[in-house]
């Protein structure tokens, strides 16, 4: 289940990238110049938040030339941060996790309030089977955007992974809380409904699980968790008669 949940986190993240502002996609000339100027060690650049460096330490490491390029190329650091988080999702879509992690780190350096920087780093952490690390990063992002449906979904998915490892009821309850908040947002991710359906399955709330499956299906058929559907059918036939 860990791989499946991480895949869902990545798929949801790519929706954010696809919807990113066009201006962020256009500033590609900074790529070569910025990368050449940034002098962060390879060990630090491949750790979330540059391996624990403070923003001041990270700025010193990337050097004044990189920061000068940022000032010339963007109207503000916040805009530059959005550019780099967008590029991070782009590299994730190309299965270049290390390159993506560096972009998300740069996004964080330029704006510590950018929730997408933390979300991207959290998604990468979840792919490395470290849900606790992912939870910490996603939680930091949520602090800056408490109603972010994608972050709420990601946190719920991570706690579901933790529950599948720990079998502790509190982890399942926490997963349910985040996922229920996610689906309550005006634009809820389709896979949040499927994750919530899995929570209800574990809670033996089979009618509610089927209802969640169908709500996610209405948003996106590709979100369906067919392993869950098979498990559900064994406990309770689909009340809507769609899955047999």
């Amino acid at each position: 289940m860990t791989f499946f949940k991480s895949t869902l986190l990545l798929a949801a993240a790519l929706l954010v990238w696809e919807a990113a502002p066009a201006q962020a996609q256009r500033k590609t000339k900074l790529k070569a110049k910025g990368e050449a100027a940034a002098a962060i060690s390879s060990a630090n650049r491949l750790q979330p938040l540059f391996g624990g460096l403070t923003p001041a330490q990270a700025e010193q490491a990337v050097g004044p030339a990189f920061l000068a390029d940022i000032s010339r190329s963007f109207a503000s650091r916040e805009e530059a941060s959005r550019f780099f988080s967008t590029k991070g999702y782009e590299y994730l879509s190309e299965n270049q996790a290390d390159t993506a992690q560096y972009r998300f780190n740069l996004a964080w350096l330029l704006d510590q309030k950018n929730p997408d920087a933390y979300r991207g780093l959290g998604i990468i952490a979840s792919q490395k089977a470290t849900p606790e690390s992912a939870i910490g990063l996603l939680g930091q992002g949520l602090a800056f955007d408490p109603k972010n449906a994608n972050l709420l979904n990601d946190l719920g998915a991570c706690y579901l992974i933790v529950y599948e490892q720990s079998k502790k009821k509190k982890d399942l309850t926490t997963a349910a809380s985040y996922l229920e908040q996610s689906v309550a947002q005006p634009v809820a991710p389709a896979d949040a409904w499927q994750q919530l359906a899995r929570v209800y399955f574990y809670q033996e709330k089979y009618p509610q699980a089927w209802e969640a499956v169908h709500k996610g299906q209405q948003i996106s058929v590709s979100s369906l968790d067919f392993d869950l559907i098979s498990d559900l059918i064994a406990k309770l036939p689909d009340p809507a008669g769609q899955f047999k």
Side-chain angles (χ1 to χ4, degrees):
M1 293 298 297
T2 298
F3 172 78
F4 177 74
K5 298 291 190 320
S6 298
T7 301
L8 286 180
L9 294 183
L10 175 57
L14 298 185
L15 293 178
V16 175
W17 166 61
E18 290 167 359
Q23 63 176 355
Q25 303 267 357
R26 288 199 298 269
K27 295 182 182 292
T28 54
K29 289 184 179 180
L30 185 68
K31 178 180 175 183
K33 292 173 66 179
E35 288 173 19
I40 294 247
S41 71
S42 59
N44 284 109
R45 74 169 62 189
L46 297 181
Q47 295 295 318
L49 307 181
F50 289 123
L53 295 182
T54 65
Q57 290 171 331
E59 280 195 17
Q60 193 171 32
V62 299
F66 173 76
L67 296 174
D69 280 342
I70 293 295
S71 296
R72 285 191 294 269
S73 301
F74 298 92
S76 67
R77 284 196 170 198
E78 289 78 12
E79 181 185 322
S81 177
R82 290 191 295 272
F83 165 77
F84 280 111
S85 58
T86 296
K87 294 299 289 184
Y89 290 121
E90 181 178 342
Y91 283 113
L92 273 180
S93 75
E94 298 170 357
N95 296 316
Q96 298 184 51
D98 288 348
T99 305
Q101 177 136 290
Y102 183 45
R103 297 310 177 285
F104 289 125
N105 276 335
L106 289 174
W108 166 81
L109 169 63
L110 294 165
D111 180 11
Q112 287 85 58
K113 295 183 179 181
N114 180 354
D116 273 326
Y118 299 100
R119 183 172 183 242
L121 293 169
I123 289 168
I124 293 170
S126 76
Q127 292 179 315
K128 296 178 179 178
T130 52
E132 292 81 4
S133 176
I135 285 169
L137 291 161
L138 295 167
Q140 289 183 70
L142 192 67
F144 295 112
D145 193 359
K147 294 186 178 181
N148 187 306
N150 289 311
L151 279 167
L152 290 164
N153 176 33
D154 296 342
L155 275 163
C158 283
Y159 273 103
L160 195 49
I161 293 171
V162 172
Y163 168 75
E164 288 169 344
Q165 296 170 351
S166 71
K167 302 303 180 184
K168 293 181 179 178
K169 185 177 179 180
K170 67 175 184 178
D171 293 324
L172 188 60
T173 300
T174 303
S177 175
Y178 281 120
L179 292 166
E180 286 168 352
Q181 290 179 69
S182 179
V183 300
Q185 301 309 309
V187 181
D191 58 278
W193 284 108
Q194 306 302 330
Q195 307 274 29
L196 187 56
R198 174 62 70 175
V199 169
Y200 289 150
F201 174 81
Y202 287 140
Q203 293 175 335
E204 300 183 1
K205 299 177 180 178
Y206 304 126
Q208 292 95 318
W210 276 118
E211 183 179 359
V213 166
H214 291 304
K215 285 184 177 179
Q217 179 188 17
Q218 291 169 8
I219 298 171
S220 173
V221 174
S222 64
S223 72
L224 289 171
D225 178 351
F226 289 101
D227 289 336
L228 169 61
I229 288 170
S230 296
D231 292 341
L232 264 176
I233 289 172
K235 298 293 184 179
L236 175 71
D238 179 7
Q242 294 186 34
F243 300 99
K244 299 179 180 179

